[in-house]
Amino acid sequence: MNLQKIKDREQLDKRVPSMPWYVEKFINYKLPDLSPSSLLEYVRDYETFFNWLMREGLTTAEKMTDIPIEVLEKLKMDEIDSFRMELSTRREHANTRTTISRKLSSLRSLFHYLSQIAEDDDFYPLLKRNVMAKVSIKRTHKPKDTAAKLEGKLLQEEEITEFIAYINEHYATDVADNKQALYAHELNHTRDACIVSLVLNSGLRVSELVNLNLDDLDLKKKLLYVYRKGSNDDTFKTPVFFRHDALTNLESYLQQREVRYHAPKREKALFLALANGKKEGSRMTKRAVQEMVIKYAKRFGKPYLSVHKLRHSFATDYYLSNDLYKTQEQLGHASPETTQIYAHLTDKTMEEAIDKRRSQES
């Protein structure tokens, strides 16, 4: 189990006791099949729902643990519609359509378990009436729609090498009058260029990247071993290929890792950061990687870039030379439908490349 899964399991163990007994029963039922991270998302969604029930006066319970199962049994479709509306309109934490669909799907899983699987001592379903069975959850996006949103927001062709070169060489010129930024760049630019190069040449997710350890890297075979979900939502180490273009950046960073970041022998993380006031480097966080990419992207003139868009940039470029299923395997997508966005993106990319060549020739 990787570091993030361990943390999520600890959080899960802390939160479950605050849930009603029937939710705890559901979580225990799902525990062998779903990862702690997935179950933690379920629990967070249930917290939102139960807090709403108490706020709306649909239960007299003052604590989530005390909400009886009969409250779920008596819910009306109008009330579920009100909950859906609450999720989409609340001012402080407005949810996207994707988040709303996920929260409703979490509820539907719980209600299905209570009405179709779990039984009382007399072998009757725990939940006699399942209002969530009537709730339709629409797909939140289609591959073509996702591709349309990404058009013009990814790195293409020479921009990939230009961005890496910018981090290594040209960013320092842009921040020449900022001593603090210059110092940070001198310390970290080799590591930062390595991270960006690795994502742009492998398509890693940010969570996969920060969980990499030194022994997950095979330079000779150009392989990384990352934790990915299997068909039953469990995680296991999977070999992921990276392109030769990332090799030089990796070798440069590895030469500096131990000395520049004062890496203690016990620290196995591949990518380290040296926090202010700390004498030893420690594993980089997802947030630190995200902020690092955004910092360079803004100066580079691509403020919309993120780690995930770097992953999309790799995938679009990779798909041009490979088929759908090779791209799906490389990215770790559960379904080829997710990978289809790159079919739409590459059509546009090839069209733009042809137009560009024509303009250069004329």
Side-chain angles (χ1 to χ4, degrees):
M1 189 179 291
N2 65 21
L3 186 64
Q4 189 60 50
K5 293 292 186 293
I6 292 170
K7 289 181 179 179
D8 288 344
R9 180 57 194 263
E10 289 173 353
Q11 276 295 309
L12 185 67
D13 290 342
K14 286 180 182 178
R15 289 177 183 243
V16 166
S18 68
M19 293 279 103
W21 64 270
Y22 45 87
V23 173
E24 186 169 0
K25 189 177 178 70
F26 170 71
I27 296 297
N28 289 333
Y29 170 76
K30 285 289 188 181
L31 198 54
D33 301 320
L34 294 181
S35 69
S37 302
S38 297
L39 291 171
L40 184 58
E41 287 299 322
Y42 275 116
V43 169
R44 285 171 177 154
D45 293 340
Y46 299 150
E47 285 174 351
T48 300
F49 176 67
F50 289 131
N51 280 320
W52 176 80
L53 286 178
M54 292 187 290
R55 200 165 55 245
E56 293 296 306
L58 295 173
T59 174
T60 56
E62 296 181 357
K63 296 188 299 183
M64 282 188 288
T65 48
D66 297 336
I67 297 176
I69 197 169
E70 289 77 18
V71 168
L72 308 189
E73 215 163 58
K74 295 176 182 177
L75 284 172
K76 301 174 183 176
M77 271 301 299
D78 285 348
E79 290 160 345
I80 298 299
D81 288 339
S82 295
F83 176 61
R84 192 201 299 256
M85 184 66 68
E86 162 82 2
L87 292 175
S88 63
T89 59
R90 53 196 297 199
R91 292 180 183 177
E92 66 279 15
H93 296 295
N95 294 278
T96 64
R97 284 186 297 171
T98 302
T99 304
I100 293 169
S101 293
R102 194 204 68 226
K103 289 181 184 297
L104 292 174
S105 182
S106 296
L107 280 179
R108 194 156 66 174
S109 295
L110 173 64
F111 278 61
H112 174 79
Y113 165 76
L114 295 174
S115 64
Q116 300 296 320
I117 299 171
E119 298 175 337
D120 62 19
D121 293 338
D122 296 319
F123 309 108
Y124 287 104
L126 289 180
L127 194 69
K128 309 299 187 293
R129 175 178 166 273
N130 179 5
V131 67
M132 291 302 298
K134 302 177 182 179
V135 177
S136 63
I137 302 174
K138 297 178 181 178
R139 284 185 56 85
T140 56
H141 67 275
K142 297 178 181 178
K144 191 172 182 179
D145 297 334
T146 303
K149 290 179 181 179
L150 290 172
E151 279 179 17
K153 295 182 179 179
L154 306 181
L155 296 175
Q156 295 179 14
E157 299 182 47
E158 66 273 8
E159 287 180 334
I160 290 175
T161 53
E162 286 174 1
F163 187 45
I164 297 167
Y166 176 78
I167 295 169
N168 255 329
E169 303 163 17
H170 308 300
Y171 176 81
T173 304
D174 287 347
V175 295
D177 58 345
N178 187 327
K179 289 183 179 180
Q180 187 176 356
L182 270 176
Y183 173 77
H185 182 256
E186 175 59 30
L187 176 67
N188 297 315
H189 71 87
T190 302
R191 179 204 66 188
D192 297 349
C194 179
I195 288 172
V196 169
S197 178
L198 197 55
V199 177
L200 285 170
N201 285 291
S202 68
L204 287 183
R205 299 176 175 93
V206 66
S207 58
E208 295 167 347
L209 181 109
V210 298
N211 281 315
L212 282 172
N213 290 330
L214 283 169
D215 58 7
D216 294 328
L217 181 62
D218 188 331
L219 292 178
K220 289 183 178 179
K221 294 181 180 179
K222 295 194 283 292
L223 287 176
L224 303 160
Y225 292 88
V226 303
Y227 284 97
R228 281 185 171 169
K229 287 184 182 181
S231 56
N232 65 349
D233 206 35
D234 199 5
T235 55
F236 57 94
K237 277 200 172 181
T238 307
V240 176
F241 161 80
F242 64 87
R243 295 189 290 204
H244 184 79
D245 291 352
L247 196 57
T248 302
N249 295 106
L250 272 165
E251 289 172 339
S252 298
Y253 168 67
L254 288 171
Q255 287 172 6
Q256 298 181 0
R257 175 188 174 275
E258 188 172 342
V259 175
R260 186 162 287 194
Y261 294 96
H262 310 295
K265 290 184 179 179
R266 67 181 180 278
E267 182 55 81
K268 303 301 182 184
L270 175 58
F271 291 112
L272 302 177
L274 194 59
N276 290 334
K278 298 290 184 180
K279 294 181 179 180
E280 295 180 336
S282 58
R283 186 182 298 271
M284 283 191 80
T285 64
K286 289 193 289 185
R287 183 174 180 179
V289 174
Q290 296 280 19
E291 289 176 349
M292 177 268 288
V293 169
I294 292 168
K295 175 185 73 174
Y296 290 118
K298 286 179 178 177
R299 290 280 186 174
F300 186 66
K302 302 277 186 180
Y304 40 76
L305 278 181
S306 62
V307 181
H308 202 62
K309 287 191 174 68
L310 296 184
R311 174 173 152 89
H312 283 313
S313 298
F314 162 80
T316 305
D317 188 60
Y318 186 81
Y319 183 79
L320 284 166
S321 306
N322 296 275
D323 61 26
L324 180 74
Y325 295 102
K326 282 185 179 178
T327 307
Q328 177 191 353
E329 184 179 5
Q330 177 70 22
L331 297 175
H333 287 160
S335 165
E337 186 174 359
T338 308
T339 319
Q340 284 175 4
I341 65 172
Y342 305 112
H344 299 287
L345 276 168
T346 49
D347 287 345
K348 190 69 176 178
T349 300
M350 291 181 76
E351 180 185 326
E352 290 172 353
I354 291 169
D355 289 341
K356 187 176 179 180
R357 288 193 190 99
R358 283 174 179 167
S359 63
Q360 289 173 345
E361 290 169 359
S362 58

